[in-house]
Amino acid sequence: MSKICGVAGIVALLLSSTVACSVGGAPDRPSALPGVPTSAQERNILLPAHGALLGHYYGAGTVEETDARDGRKPAIHLTYHGWSDDWAADPVTLADFADGRTPLINWEPFDVSFDDIINGKLDQTIEARAEGAKALGQKFFLDFAAEMNEAEGWGGHVPDKYVAAYRHIHDIFVARGATNVVWTWCPNNTDSPDAPPAMAYYPGDEYVDWTGIDGYNWGTSDEDFEWQSFREVFAGIYAKLAVVGKPVIIGEMASDEVGGDKAQWIDDVVPTLKSDFPLIKAVVWFDVDKERHWQINSSAASLTAYARMAKDPYFNP
């Protein structure tokens, strides 16, 4: 795998020239957040003042138990919802706002025809979700049909169909006044074999506020996988997203215990964000024992490392 440092340097130069001028040709003020255009920062799209936001998927305990265990309250709470779920009225969503967490709504269109989304047959559901979002009255992240480039294959791995569906939903939300939605587009860090690459599914700058990545260090418990550092998991797709110039959220991430030092993997997160991934402004840990031992407390050393990372000033903007 090629080193990201060289790519990051080139991207930084490209972004600096892009930010240097506004549409009218006059110079903008310097960007307060390196690499993110000033125009994006002036809009309220939940960008941190500095560093990055730390998020959590609660799969290994209640919110209260997990926060006490980890030593802090996360800034973002990831939850998953089916197509027909009224996630805006969900008690968990409302509790997040009440307790100072920003929801990251992962909206999964299982068993939904993207043709029906595009041709308007499902507008009633979309309009209802838009009205619910507007009624919340606060900013939150909405991640529709994540990991479209991998096994989920939303829209049958047809990029044009995926893009048309995403745009249709976005346009209905805007028309209904749900301008508090922060639109998040989050491919997997790897593409399915013989399927289009991630960037083929990109809906376009007007439709996306944050780009994203879901990625994991799968360890070596399966002989088809190898241990990857935090940098190696995200470097390839980050270089492609960086050219777009949007803030980046890691929508899901975790490491297994088998094949390396998970505590060290966690310790490497903040230094690597600083040195190689300046556009990553939020990361969300997938805290559950699922395909691998993703949970934070899979070992005492891992839990200690995570608590140490969570207290780092970089994650406390």
Side-chain angles (χ1 to χ4, degrees):
M1 182 176 291
S2 62
K3 293 183 178 180
I4 190 64
C5 300
V7 175
I10 295 172
V11 169
L13 290 174
L14 291 172
L15 290 173
S16 64
S17 62
T18 301
V19 176
C21 294
S22 65
V23 174
D28 288 328
R29 63 177 174 79
S31 176
L33 296 174
V36 179
T38 304
S39 58
Q41 296 181 52
E42 289 173 342
R43 296 171 53 229
N44 180 12
I45 56 170
L46 300 175
L47 282 167
H50 61 82
L53 303 172
L54 183 61
H56 206 90
Y57 169 68
Y58 292 90
T62 67
V63 171
E64 294 76 17
E65 291 168 345
T66 303
D67 290 356
R69 181 197 69 191
D70 300 344
R72 69 160 291 175
K73 180 191 302 183
I76 298 170
H77 180 193
L78 167 64
T79 56
Y80 297 89
H81 303 269
W83 173 256
S84 299
D85 293 346
D86 188 359
W87 36 259
D90 191 301
V92 175
T93 301
L94 300 177
D96 283 338
F97 281 123
D99 202 29
R101 293 179 296 272
T102 298
L104 167 56
I105 303 295
N106 191 308
W107 192 10
E108 300 181 307
F110 285 113
D111 302 319
V112 172
S113 165
F114 273 45
D115 288 326
D116 287 347
I117 295 176
I118 296 165
N119 63 29
K121 288 184 178 180
L122 301 178
D123 281 2
Q124 185 175 358
T125 297
I126 300 168
E127 290 166 358
R129 297 294 84 77
E131 293 290 350
K134 178 183 178 181
L136 287 172
Q138 299 182 65
K139 297 281 185 177
F140 66 96
F141 296 102
L142 179 59
D143 185 4
F144 172 71
E147 300 187 17
M148 73 302 299
N149 60 320
E150 245 291 348
E152 300 298 356
W154 307 114
H157 277 312
V158 180
D160 288 348
K161 186 177 294 187
Y162 176 90
V163 168
Y166 191 107
R167 290 180 175 182
H168 184 77
I169 292 170
H170 175 281
D171 289 345
I172 288 176
F173 272 63
V174 171
R176 291 279 172 160
T179 55
N180 54 314
V181 174
V182 177
W183 292 89
T184 308
W185 175 76
C186 200
N188 198 62
N189 69 319
T190 60
D191 303 317
S192 285
D194 303 319
M199 298 310 296
Y201 300 87
Y202 182 57
D205 290 349
E206 301 86 354
Y207 293 88
V208 174
D209 295 310
W210 289 60
T211 58
I213 317 167
D214 289 355
Y216 296 84
N217 170 32
W218 290 82
T220 60
S221 57
D222 186 316
E223 63 181 13
D224 292 332
F225 293 85
E226 62 182 22
W227 185 270
Q228 290 184 296
S229 68
F230 176 75
R231 178 183 290 104
E232 289 170 333
V233 171
F234 296 105
I237 185 67
Y238 176 85
K240 299 171 185 176
L241 295 176
V243 176
V244 175
K246 302 274 185 178
V248 179
I249 182 173
I250 297 180
E252 295 178 10
M253 78 168 192
S255 173
D256 191 18
E257 287 277 1
V258 181
D261 187 337
K262 182 173 178 175
Q264 185 60 55
W265 196 94
I266 295 170
D267 282 336
D268 288 341
V269 170
V270 170
T272 306
L273 289 175
K274 291 179 177 180
S275 64
D276 289 1
F277 302 145
L279 283 174
I280 294 179
K281 304 299 182 184
V283 303
V284 179
W285 191 281
F286 190 68
D287 184 26
V288 65
D289 192 354
K290 195 166 175 266
E291 303 92 346
R292 299 287 193 276
H293 299 300
W294 305 131
Q295 69 272 32
I296 289 165
N297 62 339
S298 53
S299 68
S302 295
L303 177 57
T304 299
Y306 187 89
R308 182 166 54 243
M309 179 189 75
K311 294 176 182 176
D312 191 288
Y314 200 77
F315 279 132
N316 292 273

